[in-house]
Amino acid sequence: MKLELDDVGAATVVRVFEANVDARVAMEFRTLMAREITAGKRRLALDLREVDFMDSSGLGAVVSVLKALQPDGDLVVFGLRGPVLRLFQLTRMDRVFRLLPDEAAALEALAMPGEGAT
Amino acid sequence: MKRDTDTIGPVTAAEATAAIVGHARHSLGRLWDEVTPREALLAVSMAVRDHLLERMADTERQWRATGAKRVCYLSLEFLMGRSLGNNLINLGLHDAFRQALAGLGHDLDDLLETERDAALGNGGLGRLAACFLDSMATVGIAGHGYGICYEYGLFRQEIDGGRQRERPDNWLAGGTPWLVERPDEACIVPLYGRIEHAADRAGGYNPMWMDWKILVGVPHDMPVAGYGGLTVNALRLFSARATDDFDMGIFNEGDYLRAVEGKIASETVSKVLYPSDAVEAGRELRLVQEYFFTACALHDIVRRHLKDHADLRDLASGVAIQMNDTHPALAVAELMRLLVDEHAMDWDEAFAITRATLGYTNHTLMPEALERWPVALFETVLPRHLQILYEINARFLASVEARWPGDAARQRRMSIVDEGPPRQVRMAHLAIVGSHSINGVAELHTRLVKSDLVPDFHAMWPERFNNKTNGVTQRRWLQSCNPGLAGLLTQSVGDGWITDLESLRALEPFAEDPAFREAFRAVKRRNKEALARVIQGTNRVVVSPDALFDVHAKRIHEYKRQLLQAMHVVHQYLRLVEDGVSPVVPRCFVFAGKAAPGYRIAKEIIRLVNDLSATLRKDPRSRGVLDVVFVPDYRVSLAERIMPAADLSEQISTAGKEASGTGNMKFAMNGALTMGTLDGANVEILEAVGADNIYIFGLTAEEVARHVAEGSYHPADVYRGHPRVQRVLDAITSGRFCPGEPDRYAWIRQRLVDGADEYFHLVDLDACLDAQDRASADFADPDRWTTMAIRNVARMGRFSSDRTIREYARDIWGVVPTR
């Protein structure tokens, strides 16, 4: 899976360079992220700008990251386009995740206290 | 942009010629003198399509510019038939193209005959939807049809050894010029999976839909031209595709075939039309089809609304959605899901919008056709929708409790969920609860919906129930299919009837005019000759146009009583060969219709008709005096040949069973007299044409209902007490018409004499035979018959689908037609 992690202050931007986040890469993503979280990364901004499509296993993997960050970590998502945004909406995941338009907004949101992951 | 008041520009034959030859060359890569018949049809159709698409784009722009309220007609079936002839007429291009083709060495009529029907429906319900699209475009309503782009339409029927054989109807195989694919507007539809009960960021309950699968709905637009070509709306049909990445996981594991199988499985959703309107319960693919097209349609409706509106709060003022029967009833839950889940709307507000937007048309009182889905299946396919449905039901039952405190029995009857066992979702209840309007399709039918089908709902919301008697478009069912009569009418009373069928009232005095009657008869004669040629081609039988053409053409179903007509045939035959009484007039009994592949009795009825046909043809005493033909593969284009040629139209369903019928209207519009029971719209046809111009017989719906309630119908007594009935039954079940297998029709005695005769054949047979004798006597007097036939045509005004659509527009949709 093509993935890059950039530490920006206390936050980590997780850049996904896969057009399709599906069963093929979901497990690997889940494993990679679990390792990073165990290593101490607790405030994550997931960059989906390059993602055209996610299937349910892809979305499930993102949910698993959120769960792994509980109770004190935080995950925000930015750069959702077209079908990916619609999938978040129609499965009501837009109410669980904070969806933000770009990286700056995502980092700002991570810096704001009070609205962490649930 | 052209204004609504413009007329479509005249097209010369030279321009039509250039367009046809141009498409042959540039769209098909052929010189005109090299084209195959299929390519010739394609080139002509594409030349016509140019006009359609230009107008369609103009029309859409105009609807947006004027902020027209959209009417979205959701139907699992659209029985469109052929398009070219109808488009030529409605666009005013008919004469130019006829002339152009003549110059190119082709006859337009021959070419029209080569077009395949778009058979995306079973019968009346689907054809009604097609007539409604024509009328909406003609009267000037922003009407959008939504359905499924089935790859295989209703099966083709072949008759082999007297029995029906089904053959696939791959109508898209040769390509169709009438669909414009819109992949850029494809939408995604999730289904299956499970609900994870989670919390949102504020800590509130937030059900998340997990582990779903995805279908992609790709729209295809079929332009629908109104008469005069001023409005061209679109019928949007969705085909199901897998996402490109549907099973990439499997693909990348190296299992290419399994990945492709998964892709094929998802594309199966739009593969085939279910060949019956009463689908066996629990057919998962059917439920998926219903959800698929409903979800695609609503996605499209919302997308279009949001182009010109800030949000969905004013959806009901911008859009009216009509559900054609319960097949799209999932629209209630899906619209709620869209509003609540995707647009974060408060439940009460969302439900108010849903109800104000949706209307439901009921089409049947037959219990087996009332859809129910097992809760377990529903939960598997649509887990989130089941949650929403439960919530709708809980709130609805609370309102029932408030209205009738403590009436648990009533709550059980009205609940959207039948607690079983097995537990089932009642789709009609879902549709009613989620709609601001519930309508039946004929006066009698609507009365029975209120009194017998859902009386509790009527008691709760009487103001929501209304009637909209069906109609048919005279552009297809008179002007296009019967040019001889259309020309005569226009010559006599002008062409106003094409858009105002009531204006045929002016024809009344012509019924007394001997010259007109003669001309009317000549038209009918030519139409009968044309049908005789069709029959010769399909059945290898020569029938005489001198005979009374007595036609029973519709889906084969026990309640429609093809069997009663078969018994009438047997009576006529026995009277001839055993009593030595020749019929007053020779008759040609024409049957046509398809039986659902799994409906054994319906298929046996077809076989009986074919056995009668063979027996009467072999017998020199009956040959040429009493002919029976079963014309195979009944479909819209065949109906267009049959209707204009009929003298007598058989509309003899068991009273209280046929919701409306529309064949009855098409026949009468073409000058056939009706032999009917007091069922469906026959009741209103009787009112319209007068008792002297129709043959009515048989039990009324009330009498049938009373017999059922009191158990007072004893068919064995009727059999014993009525010699004509007894003789007919004995002849059929004796093996006389199937000597090689004498017991072939023993089941008829078992069902009709020893059994309950559920559809009241025996008790109605005597009255039927008497009415048929009256018809024969009248037919023997050509002037009398023709006078009655002309009066039928003159009095059919109210059965135009233009009238029906105007009533829907005024009473249900709240839209004002522009014309």
Side-chain angles (χ1 to χ4, degrees), chain A residues 20 22-24 53-56 59-60 63 67 83 86-87 89-98 115 118, chain B residues 188 190 196 199-201 205-212 214 243 245 248-249 252 299 337 340-342 344 384:
Chain A
N20 302 304
D22 54 24
R24 181 175 54 93
F53 185 77
M54 269 191 171
D55 74 358
S56 62
L59 268 179
V63 172
K67 286 179 177 171
R86 185 161 149 67
L87 284 170
Q89 289 167 337
L90 63 81
T91 54
R92 292 178 65 116
M93 290 190 189
D94 59 326
R95 303 188 193 188
V96 177
F97 294 94
R98 279 190 285 169
E115 202 185 6
T118 56
Chain B
I188 51 178
E196 187 166 313
D200 63 19
R201 295 192 300 276
Y205 174 63
N206 186 60
M208 287 194 302
W209 192 350
M210 306 289 286
D211 300 338
W212 29 262
I214 289 279
T243 62
D245 325 293
M248 285 302 283
N252 284 286
H299 171 83
R337 192 192 65 75
V340 172
D341 286 2
E342 295 195 35
R384 176 62 185 142

Side-chain angles (χ1 to χ4, degrees), chain B residues 368-390:
Chain B
E368 68 267 30
L370 284 171
E371 285 192 299
R372 290 157 171 262
W373 291 107
V375 168
L377 174 65
F378 205 106
E379 185 165 24
T380 300
V381 178
L382 301 167
R384 176 62 185 142
H385 294 76
L386 186 65
Q387 272 195 320
I388 290 170
L389 187 147
Y390 281 150

Side-chain angles (χ1 to χ4, degrees), chain B residues 452 701-713 760:
Chain B
D452 295 5
E702 287 73 20
E703 288 166 338
V704 168
R706 197 175 319 124
H707 275 309
V708 171
E710 297 172 0
S712 54
Y713 175 44
F760 295 82

Side-chain angles (χ1 to χ4, degrees), chain B residues 726-806:
Chain B
Q726 198 172 86
R727 183 165 75 160
V728 166
L729 249 295
D730 289 351
I732 293 174
T733 56
S734 68
R736 180 174 187 153
F737 305 109
C738 48
E741 189 189 339
D743 290 336
R744 185 177 292 169
Y745 301 112
W747 62 269
I748 295 180
R749 179 181 295 277
Q750 286 159 16
R751 286 180 81 84
L752 270 55
V753 181
D754 306 333
D757 185 15
E758 188 184 350
Y759 297 102
F760 295 82
H761 293 84
L762 300 194
V763 68
D764 273 354
L765 181 56
D766 250 342
C768 168
L769 299 179
D770 291 343
Q772 294 285 1
D773 284 346
R774 291 199 300 278
S776 290
D778 289 340
F779 191 75
D781 179 350
D783 268 347
R784 175 173 169 71
W785 185 271
T786 309
T787 301
M788 294 163 72
I790 295 168
R791 287 188 183 137
N792 267 263
V793 176
R795 298 173 187 180
M796 276 299 115
R798 74 165 87 162
F799 300 104
S800 165
S801 46
D802 298 346
R803 184 271 310 152
T804 316
I805 281 299
R806 288 184 192 281

